[in-house]
Amino acid sequence: GQNIDQPTEMTATEGAIVQINCTYQTSGFNGLFWYQQHAGEAPTFLSYNVLDGLEEKGRFSSFLSRSKGYSYLLLKELQMKDSASYLCAVSDSNYQLIWGAGTKLIIKP
Amino acid sequence: IAGITQAPTSQILAAGRRMTLRCTQDMRHNAMYWYRQDLGLGLRLIHYSNTAGTTGKGEVPDGYSVSRANTDDFPLTLASAVPSQTSVYFCASSERAGEDEKLFFGSGTQLSVL
């Protein structure tokens, strides 16, 4: 079966760095997405990786290793507004997205 | 403001009743999707439409139907609601169906079936 694994919850301190991991087992691979979802709101797009390596976008970076079925989202200089759930999703061989359950990130002052 | 509009925002429904969740986008996106989000689970695809006039079944289509008469609208109908359909429903769109297409989501409909 297809599976996406992420930690359920993480806690970090304002101003620090946090890494949210995502491992996947899917039938085919056509890219990996990260979305941010604040409580009670819709998910919003953060990043897309299809090739191995690190993609940097401001305070957020996303890394992919296709051979290991592994990705991480790195958040630097954490701000209170970064408190949200972070969703990992993989596009499978049919270009359908398989979603992880999300990682709830709690930022403490 | 361009985007996706869903209605209603929330609804309490008696089991056995019929309900249509509305979704409209003004971005002229070709592809549209309906997802449900349940606590502890990832988003699950109910139905999708790659272009106006076509629809397809997702991971959890049973008990739901959709139509795509035009580019902008993609309503989701529950013919006879059951309590297991209690969930948050998100409509989404993308410029086209494809591997690198990011999704734009509506604000969601919280549905409770009693």
Side-chain angles (χ1 to χ4, degrees):
Chain A
Q2 308 203 89
N3 195 50
I4 310 285
D5 283 318
Q6 323 176 218
T8 302
E9 187 174 296
M10 299 181 70
T11 301
T13 304
E14 189 177 16
I17 299 173
V18 70
Q19 177 175 311
I20 302 174
N21 296 326
C22 171
T23 59
Y24 62 89
Q25 290 179 306
T26 56
S27 56
F29 178 84
N30 281 306
L32 185 144
F33 295 82
W34 285 96
Y35 283 78
Q36 180 189 59
Q37 186 177 25
H38 286 100
E41 297 184 8
T44 55
F45 170 82
L46 285 178
S47 68
Y48 170 73
N49 294 68
V50 67
L51 299 176
D52 289 352
L54 188 68
E55 294 274 347
E56 298 186 75
K57 193 183 295 185
R59 293 189 300 115
F60 291 11
S61 303
S62 56
F63 172 83
L64 175 67
S65 169
R66 289 172 296 171
S67 63
K68 295 182 179 178
Y70 168 70
S71 173
Y72 67 73
L73 181 69
L74 192 70
L75 291 73
K76 302 176 185 176
E77 301 169 16
L78 285 170
Q79 302 175 10
M80 297 304 293
K81 67 178 182 180
D82 297 330
S83 292
S85 288
Y86 291 85
L87 314 181
C88 175
V90 172
S91 178
D92 71 8
S93 56
N94 296 316
Y95 300 110
Q96 291 210 350
L97 288 179
I98 310 301
W99 295 81
T103 299
K104 182 177 181 181
L105 179 62
I106 300 168
I107 309 296
K108 294 186 175 180
Chain B
I1 297 177
I4 299 182
T5 303
Q6 288 186 237
T9 303
S10 66
Q11 182 74 44
I12 298 174
L13 190 66
R17 297 297 295 268
R18 181 184 179 89
M19 175 74 191
T20 295
L21 307 185
R22 300 184 297 279
C23 175
T24 300
Q25 54 102 358
D26 61 3
M27 298 178 283
R28 306 304 293 172
H29 283 176
N30 285 309
M32 297 188 75
Y33 314 84
W34 274 105
Y35 285 94
R36 59 178 290 172
Q37 187 174 42
D38 301 290
L39 199 63
L41 298 177
L43 288 162
R44 291 183 292 169
L45 183 65
I46 304 170
H47 284 286
Y48 64 93
S49 169
N50 288 338
T51 189
T54 69
T55 62
K57 294 182 179 180
E59 179 187 356
V60 289
D62 294 343
Y64 305 95
S65 63
V66 292
S67 61
R68 186 87 184 278
N70 57 60
T71 298
D72 298 344
D73 302 300
F74 191 44
L76 176 74
T77 297
L78 289 68
S80 179
V82 295
S84 62
Q85 292 178 312
T86 293
S87 187
V88 179
Y89 291 85
F90 285 103
C91 180
S93 72
S94 62
E95 194 168 331
R96 61 185 186 278
E99 72 271 18
D100 62 347
E101 288 298 315
K102 65 181 180 182
L103 300 183
F104 294 82
F105 286 84
S107 55
T109 295
Q110 172 73 61
L111 181 67
S112 298
V113 182
L114 305 178

